[in-house]
Amino acid sequence: ACNQSVKFEDLMAVARDLGAAALATGHYVQSELVDGHRRLLRPLDSERDQSYFLFATTREQLEFLRFPLGGKTKSETRALAKEMGLEIAGKSDSQDICFVPEGRYIDLIAKIHPEVMAPGNIVDLDGNVLGSHQGVANYTIGQRRGLGIAAASPLYVIRLEPENRLVIVGPHEALRIFTVRLRDINWLGDSPLMKVAGGNGLAIEARVRSTRQPQPAVIQMRDGQVYVTLIAGEYGIAPGQACVFYADDNDEAEILGGGFVAEAIPAVFAA
């Protein structure tokens, strides 16, 4: 969201106002000019792949953006920085979000949405009350430790219902998800999404976490909604996560866009 609203919106507007020919960033991703239009590709250094965070980059933005580090490894980049005498050549990698001081995400959430810090109940899949909590914002999908409840077998956070102040827990298998419904789609494919994703859908590779490799999937449009079915499934997908699309027919893994998860229904809840 920071890339969408700040870097590639406000910063790009400043660059255009200054008469710049392009805006170069340090993201590890590549773009390639094909038939007069730019395609977005995964970088050479798969360990530094930041394509997951750039799925919302529009075609118009791609024409103005350049990613000079995408064709280099991180070690090559550091070597160049050292050769140029840059003080940050040995700078450690950034891990936190810049506007969240000391990585305390809960403080930011409590400030923006204080209502999610209201106490409520921890319940099982059948609605039985197992304990209480001091705010659903203190929990994440898939969490096991720190639940503060006793049980005969391990329990995990399966779902959060802020509107009901509920934390729903269950067995690990209840976290497995095969299909997600998406919102705010950005499509970078050559053919319209409605055309290629109709009927039986389009075979792609999809990624629902930045730390995982893309897996075989199918994207479909049904009743005006976009769904992605993960062939092998994935554990612990939460609403708000990005689901990024990659072409499955080339070695460079072109990024076809993506969307945000609007609904991820664990198999245990499926009708």
Coordinates of all heavy atoms in Angstrom, one line a residue, residues 67-143:
F67 N 14.1 -0.2 -12.9 CA 14.6 -1.0 -11.7 C 16.0 -1.5 -12.0 O 16.2 -2.7 -12.4 CB 13.6 -2.2 -11.5 CG 12.2 -1.8 -11.3 CD1 11.3 -2.0 -12.4 CD2 11.7 -1.3 -10.1 CE1 9.9 -1.7 -12.2 CE2 10.4 -0.9 -10.0 CZ 9.5 -1.1 -11.0
P68 N 17.0 -0.7 -11.9 CA 18.4 -1.0 -12.2 C 19.0 -2.1 -11.5 O 20.0 -2.7 -11.9 CB 19.1 0.3 -12.0 CG 18.3 1.1 -11.0 CD 16.9 0.7 -11.3
L69 N 18.5 -2.5 -10.3 CA 19.1 -3.5 -9.5 C 18.5 -4.9 -9.8 O 19.0 -5.9 -9.4 CB 18.9 -3.3 -8.0 CG 19.4 -1.9 -7.5 CD1 19.3 -1.9 -5.9 CD2 20.9 -1.7 -7.9
G70 N 17.4 -5.0 -10.6 CA 16.8 -6.3 -10.8 C 17.6 -7.3 -11.5 O 17.4 -8.5 -11.4
G71 N 18.6 -6.8 -12.3 CA 19.5 -7.8 -13.0 C 20.8 -8.1 -12.3 O 21.7 -8.7 -12.9
K72 N 20.8 -7.7 -11.0 CA 22.1 -7.9 -10.2 C 21.7 -8.7 -8.9 O 20.6 -8.7 -8.5 CB 22.7 -6.6 -9.9 CG 23.2 -5.7 -11.0 CD 23.8 -4.4 -10.5 CE 24.4 -3.6 -11.7 NZ 23.3 -3.3 -12.7
T73 N 22.7 -9.3 -8.4 CA 22.5 -10.0 -7.1 C 22.8 -8.9 -6.0 O 23.4 -7.8 -6.3 CB 23.5 -11.1 -6.9 OG1 24.9 -10.6 -6.9 CG2 23.4 -12.2 -8.0
K74 N 22.4 -9.1 -4.8 CA 22.7 -8.2 -3.7 C 24.2 -8.0 -3.5 O 24.6 -6.9 -3.2 CB 22.0 -8.6 -2.4 CG 22.0 -7.6 -1.3 CD 21.2 -6.3 -1.7 CE 21.2 -5.3 -0.6 NZ 20.1 -5.6 0.4
S75 N 24.9 -9.1 -3.6 CA 26.4 -8.9 -3.4 C 27.0 -8.1 -4.5 O 27.9 -7.3 -4.2 CB 27.0 -10.3 -3.4 OG 26.8 -11.0 -4.6
E76 N 26.5 -8.2 -5.7 CA 27.0 -7.3 -6.8 C 26.7 -5.9 -6.5 O 27.5 -5.0 -6.8 CB 26.5 -7.8 -8.1 CG 27.0 -9.1 -8.6 CD 26.3 -9.5 -9.9 OE1 25.1 -9.2 -10.1 OE2 26.9 -10.2 -10.7
T77 N 25.5 -5.6 -6.0 CA 25.1 -4.3 -5.7 C 25.9 -3.7 -4.6 O 26.4 -2.5 -4.7 CB 23.6 -4.3 -5.2 OG1 22.8 -4.8 -6.3 CG2 23.1 -2.8 -4.9
R78 N 26.2 -4.5 -3.6 CA 27.1 -4.0 -2.5 C 28.5 -3.7 -3.0 O 29.1 -2.7 -2.6 CB 27.1 -5.0 -1.3 CG 25.8 -5.1 -0.5 CD 26.1 -6.0 0.7 NE 24.9 -6.2 1.5 CZ 24.3 -5.3 2.3 NH1 24.8 -4.1 2.4 NH2 23.2 -5.6 2.9
A79 N 29.0 -4.5 -3.9 CA 30.3 -4.3 -4.4 C 30.4 -3.0 -5.2 O 31.4 -2.3 -5.1 CB 30.7 -5.5 -5.3
L80 N 29.4 -2.8 -6.0 CA 29.3 -1.5 -6.7 C 29.3 -0.3 -5.8 O 29.9 0.7 -6.0 CB 28.1 -1.5 -7.7 CG 28.2 -2.3 -9.0 CD1 26.8 -2.4 -9.6 CD2 29.2 -1.7 -9.9
A81 N 28.5 -0.4 -4.7 CA 28.3 0.7 -3.8 C 29.7 1.0 -3.1 O 30.1 2.1 -2.9 CB 27.3 0.4 -2.7
K82 N 30.4 -0.1 -2.8 CA 31.7 0.0 -2.2 C 32.7 0.6 -3.1 O 33.5 1.5 -2.8 CB 32.2 -1.4 -1.7 CG 33.5 -1.3 -0.9 CD 33.9 -2.7 -0.4 CE 35.2 -2.6 0.4 NZ 35.6 -4.0 0.9
E83 N 32.6 0.2 -4.4 CA 33.5 0.8 -5.4 C 33.3 2.3 -5.6 O 34.2 3.0 -5.9 CB 33.3 0.0 -6.7 CG 34.2 0.4 -7.9 CD 33.9 -0.3 -9.2 OE1 33.5 -1.5 -9.0 OE2 33.9 0.3 -10.2
M84 N 32.0 2.7 -5.5 CA 31.7 4.1 -5.6 C 31.9 4.9 -4.4 O 31.7 6.1 -4.3 CB 30.2 4.2 -6.0 CG 29.9 3.6 -7.4 SD 28.1 3.7 -7.7 CE 28.0 2.8 -9.3
G85 N 32.3 4.2 -3.3 CA 32.6 4.9 -2.0 C 31.4 5.3 -1.3 O 31.5 6.3 -0.5
L86 N 30.3 4.6 -1.5 CA 29.1 5.0 -0.7 C 29.1 4.4 0.7 O 29.5 3.3 0.9 CB 27.9 4.4 -1.5 CG 27.7 4.8 -2.9 CD1 26.4 4.2 -3.5 CD2 27.6 6.4 -3.0
E87 N 28.8 5.3 1.7 CA 28.9 4.9 3.1 C 27.9 3.7 3.4 O 28.1 3.0 4.4 CB 28.6 6.1 4.0 CG 29.6 7.2 3.9 CD 29.3 8.3 4.8 OE1 28.3 8.2 5.6 OE2 30.1 9.3 4.9
I88 N 26.8 3.6 2.7 CA 25.8 2.6 3.0 C 26.1 1.2 2.3 O 25.3 0.3 2.3 CB 24.4 3.0 2.6 CG1 24.4 3.3 1.0 CG2 24.0 4.3 3.3 CD1 23.0 3.5 0.5
A89 N 27.3 1.1 1.8 CA 27.6 -0.2 1.1 C 27.5 -1.4 2.0 O 27.1 -2.5 1.5 CB 29.1 -0.1 0.6
G90 N 27.7 -1.3 3.3 CA 27.6 -2.4 4.2 C 26.4 -2.3 5.1 O 26.3 -3.1 6.1
K91 N 25.5 -1.5 4.7 CA 24.2 -1.3 5.5 C 23.4 -2.6 5.6 O 23.2 -3.2 4.6 CB 23.4 -0.1 4.9 CG 22.1 0.1 5.7 CD 21.4 1.3 5.0 CE 20.0 1.5 5.6 NZ 19.1 0.4 5.4
S92 N 23.0 -2.9 6.8 CA 22.2 -4.1 7.0 C 20.8 -3.9 6.3 O 20.3 -2.8 6.1 CB 22.0 -4.4 8.5 OG 21.3 -3.3 9.1
D93 N 20.2 -5.0 6.0 CA 18.9 -5.0 5.3 C 17.8 -4.5 6.2 O 17.8 -4.8 7.4 CB 18.5 -6.4 4.8 CG 19.4 -6.9 3.7 OD1 20.1 -6.1 3.1 OD2 19.4 -8.1 3.5
S94 N 16.9 -3.7 5.6 CA 15.8 -3.2 6.4 C 14.7 -4.3 6.6 O 14.4 -5.0 5.6 CB 15.2 -2.0 5.7 OG 14.0 -1.5 6.4
Q95 N 14.2 -4.4 7.8 CA 13.2 -5.4 8.0 C 11.8 -4.8 8.4 O 10.8 -5.5 8.1 CB 13.7 -6.3 9.2 CG 15.0 -7.0 9.0 CD 14.8 -8.1 7.9 OE1 13.8 -8.7 7.7 NE2 15.9 -8.4 7.2
D96 N 11.8 -3.7 9.0 CA 10.5 -3.1 9.5 C 9.9 -2.1 8.5 O 10.6 -1.6 7.6 CB 10.8 -2.4 10.8 CG 11.2 -3.3 11.9 OD1 10.6 -4.5 11.9 OD2 12.0 -3.0 12.8
I97 N 8.7 -1.8 8.7 CA 8.0 -0.8 7.9 C 8.4 0.6 8.4 O 8.4 0.8 9.6 CB 6.5 -0.9 8.0 CG1 6.1 -2.3 7.4 CG2 5.8 0.2 7.3 CD1 4.6 -2.6 7.5
C98 N 8.8 1.5 7.5 CA 9.4 2.7 7.9 C 8.5 3.6 8.9 O 9.0 4.3 9.7 CB 9.8 3.6 6.7 SG 8.4 4.0 5.6
F99 N 7.2 3.5 8.7 CA 6.3 4.4 9.5 C 5.8 3.6 10.8 O 4.9 4.1 11.5 CB 5.2 4.9 8.7 CG 4.3 3.8 8.0 CD1 3.4 3.1 8.7 CD2 4.6 3.6 6.7 CE1 2.6 2.1 8.0 CE2 3.8 2.6 6.0 CZ 2.9 1.9 6.7
V100 N 6.4 2.5 11.1 CA 6.1 1.8 12.4 C 7.3 1.8 13.2 O 8.2 0.9 13.1 CB 5.6 0.3 12.1 CG1 5.2 -0.3 13.4 CG2 4.4 0.3 11.1
P101 N 7.5 2.7 14.2 CA 8.7 2.8 15.0 C 8.9 1.6 15.8 O 8.0 1.0 16.4 CB 8.3 4.0 15.9 CG 7.3 4.8 15.2 CD 6.5 3.8 14.4
E102 N 10.1 1.1 15.7 CA 10.6 -0.1 16.5 C 9.8 -1.3 16.2 O 9.7 -2.3 17.0 CB 10.6 0.2 18.0 CG 11.5 1.4 18.4 CD 11.4 1.7 19.8 OE1 10.6 1.0 20.6 OE2 12.1 2.6 20.3
G103 N 9.1 -1.4 15.0 CA 8.3 -2.6 14.7 C 7.1 -2.9 15.5 O 6.6 -4.0 15.5
R104 N 6.6 -1.9 16.3 CA 5.5 -2.1 17.2 C 4.2 -1.9 16.4 O 3.5 -0.9 16.5 CB 5.6 -1.2 18.4 CG 6.7 -1.6 19.3 CD 6.8 -0.7 20.5 NE 5.5 -0.7 21.3 CZ 5.3 -1.6 22.2 NH1 6.2 -2.6 22.5 NH2 4.1 -1.6 22.9
Y105 N 3.8 -2.9 15.6 CA 2.6 -2.8 14.8 C 1.3 -2.6 15.6 O 0.4 -1.9 15.2 CB 2.5 -4.0 13.9 CG 3.7 -4.3 13.0 CD1 4.6 -5.3 13.4 CD2 4.0 -3.5 11.9 CE1 5.8 -5.5 12.6 CE2 5.1 -3.7 11.2 CZ 6.0 -4.7 11.5 OH 7.1 -4.9 10.7
I106 N 1.3 -3.3 16.7 CA 0.1 -3.2 17.6 C -0.2 -1.8 18.0 O -1.4 -1.4 18.1 CB 0.2 -4.2 18.8 CG1 -1.1 -4.3 19.5 CG2 1.3 -3.7 19.7 CD1 -2.1 -5.1 18.6
D107 N 0.8 -1.0 18.2 CA 0.6 0.4 18.6 C -0.1 1.2 17.5 O -1.0 2.0 17.8 CB 1.9 1.1 19.0 CG 2.5 0.5 20.3 OD1 1.7 -0.2 21.0 OD2 3.7 0.7 20.6
L108 N 0.3 1.0 16.3 CA -0.3 1.7 15.1 C -1.7 1.3 14.9 O -2.6 2.1 14.7 CB 0.6 1.4 13.9 CG 0.0 2.0 12.6 CD1 0.1 3.5 12.7 CD2 0.8 1.5 11.4
I109 N -2.0 -0.1 15.0 CA -3.3 -0.6 14.9 C -4.2 0.0 15.9 O -5.4 0.5 15.7 CB -3.4 -2.1 14.9 CG1 -2.6 -2.7 13.7 CG2 -4.8 -2.6 14.9 CD1 -2.4 -4.2 13.8
A110 N -3.8 0.1 17.2 CA -4.6 0.6 18.3 C -4.9 2.1 18.1 O -6.0 2.5 18.5 CB -3.8 0.4 19.6
K111 N -4.0 2.8 17.5 CA -4.2 4.2 17.3 C -5.2 4.4 16.2 O -6.1 5.3 16.3 CB -2.9 4.9 16.9 CG -3.0 6.4 16.6 CD -1.6 7.0 16.3 CE -1.7 8.5 16.0 NZ -0.4 9.0 15.6
I112 N -5.1 3.6 15.1 CA -6.0 3.8 13.9 C -7.4 3.2 14.2 O -8.4 3.8 13.8 CB -5.4 3.2 12.7 CG1 -4.1 3.9 12.3 CG2 -6.4 3.3 11.5 CD1 -3.4 3.3 11.2
H113 N -7.4 2.0 14.8 CA -8.7 1.3 15.1 C -8.7 0.9 16.5 O -8.6 -0.3 16.8 CB -8.8 0.1 14.2 CG -9.1 0.4 12.7 ND1 -10.3 0.9 12.3 CD2 -8.3 0.4 11.6 CE1 -10.3 1.1 11.0 NE2 -9.1 0.8 10.6
P114 N -9.0 1.8 17.4 CA -9.0 1.5 18.9 C -10.1 0.4 19.2 O -10.0 -0.3 20.2 CB -9.3 2.8 19.6 CG -9.9 3.7 18.5 CD -9.3 3.2 17.2
E115 N -11.1 0.3 18.4 CA -12.2 -0.6 18.7 C -11.7 -2.1 18.7 O -12.4 -2.9 19.3 CB -13.4 -0.4 17.7 CG -13.1 -0.9 16.3 CD -12.4 0.1 15.4 OE1 -12.0 1.2 16.0 OE2 -12.3 -0.1 14.2
V116 N -10.6 -2.4 17.9 CA -10.2 -3.8 17.9 C -9.4 -4.2 19.1 O -8.9 -5.3 19.2 CB -9.4 -4.1 16.6 CG1 -10.2 -3.8 15.4 CG2 -8.1 -3.2 16.6
M117 N -9.2 -3.2 20.1 CA -8.6 -3.5 21.3 C -9.6 -3.8 22.4 O -9.2 -4.0 23.6 CB -7.7 -2.4 21.7 CG -6.6 -2.0 20.7 SD -5.6 -3.4 20.3 CE -4.8 -3.8 21.9
A118 N -10.9 -3.9 22.1 CA -11.9 -4.2 23.1 C -11.8 -5.7 23.4 O -11.6 -6.6 22.6 CB -13.3 -3.9 22.5
P119 N -12.1 -6.0 24.7 CA -12.0 -7.4 25.1 C -13.2 -8.3 24.5 O -14.2 -7.7 24.1 CB -12.2 -7.3 26.7 CG -12.9 -6.0 26.9 CD -12.4 -5.1 25.8
G120 N -13.0 -9.6 24.5 CA -14.0 -10.4 23.9 C -13.7 -11.9 24.2 O -12.8 -12.2 25.1
N121 N -14.3 -12.8 23.5 CA -14.1 -14.2 23.8 C -13.3 -15.0 22.8 O -13.2 -14.6 21.6 CB -15.5 -14.9 23.9 CG -16.3 -14.5 25.1 OD1 -15.7 -14.2 26.2 ND2 -17.6 -14.4 25.0
I122 N -12.6 -16.0 23.3 CA -11.9 -17.0 22.4 C -12.8 -18.2 22.4 O -13.2 -18.8 23.4 CB -10.6 -17.4 23.0 CG1 -9.7 -16.1 23.1 CG2 -9.9 -18.4 22.1 CD1 -8.3 -16.4 23.7
V123 N -13.3 -18.6 21.2 CA -14.2 -19.7 21.0 C -13.6 -20.8 20.1 O -12.8 -20.5 19.3 CB -15.6 -19.2 20.5 CG1 -16.2 -18.2 21.4 CG2 -15.4 -18.7 19.1
D124 N -14.2 -22.0 20.2 CA -13.8 -23.0 19.3 C -14.7 -23.0 18.0 O -15.6 -22.1 17.9 CB -13.8 -24.4 19.9 CG -15.2 -24.8 20.4 OD1 -16.2 -24.3 19.9 OD2 -15.3 -25.8 21.2
L125 N -14.5 -24.0 17.1 CA -15.3 -24.0 15.9 C -16.8 -24.1 16.1 O -17.5 -23.8 15.2 CB -14.7 -25.1 14.9 CG -13.2 -24.9 14.5 CD1 -12.8 -26.1 13.7 CD2 -13.0 -23.6 13.8
D126 N -17.1 -24.7 17.2 CA -18.6 -24.9 17.5 C -19.2 -23.7 18.3 O -20.3 -23.7 18.6 CB -18.8 -26.2 18.3 CG -18.4 -27.4 17.5 OD1 -18.7 -27.4 16.2 OD2 -17.8 -28.3 18.0
G127 N -18.3 -22.7 18.6 CA -18.8 -21.5 19.3 C -18.7 -21.6 20.8 O -19.1 -20.7 21.5
N128 N -18.1 -22.7 21.3 CA -17.9 -22.8 22.7 C -16.9 -21.9 23.2 O -15.8 -21.8 22.7 CB -17.6 -24.3 23.1 CG -18.6 -25.3 22.7 OD1 -19.8 -25.1 23.0 ND2 -18.2 -26.3 21.9
V129 N -17.1 -21.2 24.3 CA -16.2 -20.2 24.9 C -15.1 -21.0 25.6 O -15.3 -21.7 26.6 CB -16.9 -19.2 25.8 CG1 -15.9 -18.3 26.5 CG2 -17.9 -18.4 25.1
L130 N -13.8 -20.7 25.2 CA -12.7 -21.4 25.8 C -11.9 -20.4 26.7 O -11.1 -20.8 27.6 CB -11.8 -21.9 24.8 CG -12.4 -22.9 23.8 CD1 -11.3 -23.4 22.8 CD2 -13.0 -24.1 24.5
G131 N -12.1 -19.1 26.5 CA -11.3 -18.1 27.3 C -11.7 -16.7 26.8 O -12.7 -16.5 26.1
S132 N -10.9 -15.8 27.2 CA -11.1 -14.4 26.9 C -9.9 -13.7 26.3 O -8.8 -14.3 26.5 CB -11.7 -13.6 28.1 OG -10.7 -13.6 29.1
H133 N -10.0 -12.6 25.7 CA -8.9 -11.9 25.2 C -9.0 -10.4 25.4 O -10.1 -9.9 25.8 CB -8.7 -12.1 23.6 CG -9.9 -11.6 22.8 ND1 -10.0 -10.3 22.5 CD2 -10.9 -12.3 22.3 CE1 -11.1 -10.1 21.8 NE2 -11.7 -11.3 21.6
Q134 N -8.0 -9.6 25.2 CA -8.0 -8.2 25.4 C -7.8 -7.4 24.1 O -7.2 -6.4 24.0 CB -6.8 -7.8 26.3 CG -6.9 -8.3 27.7 CD -8.2 -8.0 28.4 OE1 -8.6 -6.8 28.4 NE2 -9.0 -8.9 28.9
G135 N -8.5 -8.0 23.0 CA -8.4 -7.3 21.7 C -8.0 -8.2 20.6 O -6.9 -8.8 20.7
V136 N -8.8 -8.3 19.5 CA -8.5 -9.2 18.4 C -7.2 -8.8 17.7 O -6.5 -9.6 17.1 CB -9.6 -9.3 17.4 CG1 -10.8 -9.9 18.0 CG2 -9.9 -8.0 16.8
A137 N -6.8 -7.5 17.9 CA -5.6 -7.1 17.2 C -4.3 -7.7 17.8 O -3.2 -7.6 17.2 CB -5.5 -5.6 17.3
N138 N -4.4 -8.4 18.9 CA -3.3 -9.0 19.5 C -3.1 -10.4 18.9 O -2.1 -11.1 19.4 CB -3.5 -9.2 21.0 CG -3.5 -7.8 21.7 OD1 -2.5 -7.1 21.7 ND2 -4.6 -7.4 22.3
Y139 N -3.9 -10.8 18.0 CA -3.8 -12.2 17.4 C -3.6 -12.1 15.9 O -4.1 -11.2 15.3 CB -5.0 -13.0 17.8 CG -5.2 -13.1 19.3 CD1 -5.9 -12.1 20.0 CD2 -4.8 -14.2 20.0 CE1 -6.0 -12.2 21.4 CE2 -4.9 -14.3 21.4 CZ -5.5 -13.3 22.1 OH -5.7 -13.4 23.4
T140 N -3.0 -13.2 15.4 CA -2.9 -13.3 13.9 C -3.4 -14.7 13.5 O -3.3 -15.7 14.3 CB -1.4 -13.1 13.5 OG1 -0.6 -14.1 14.1 CG2 -0.9 -11.7 13.8
I141 N -3.8 -14.8 12.3 CA -4.3 -16.1 11.7 C -3.1 -17.1 11.7 O -2.0 -16.7 11.3 CB -4.8 -15.9 10.3 CG1 -5.9 -14.9 10.2 CG2 -5.2 -17.3 9.7 CD1 -7.2 -15.3 11.0
G142 N -3.3 -18.3 12.3 CA -2.3 -19.3 12.4 C -1.5 -19.3 13.7 O -0.7 -20.2 13.9
Q143 N -1.7 -18.3 14.5 CA -1.0 -18.2 15.8 C -1.3 -19.4 16.7 O -2.5 -19.8 16.8 CB -1.4 -16.9 16.5 CG -0.7 -16.7 17.8 CD -1.1 -15.3 18.5 OE1 -1.5 -14.4 17.8 NE2 -1.0 -15.3 19.8

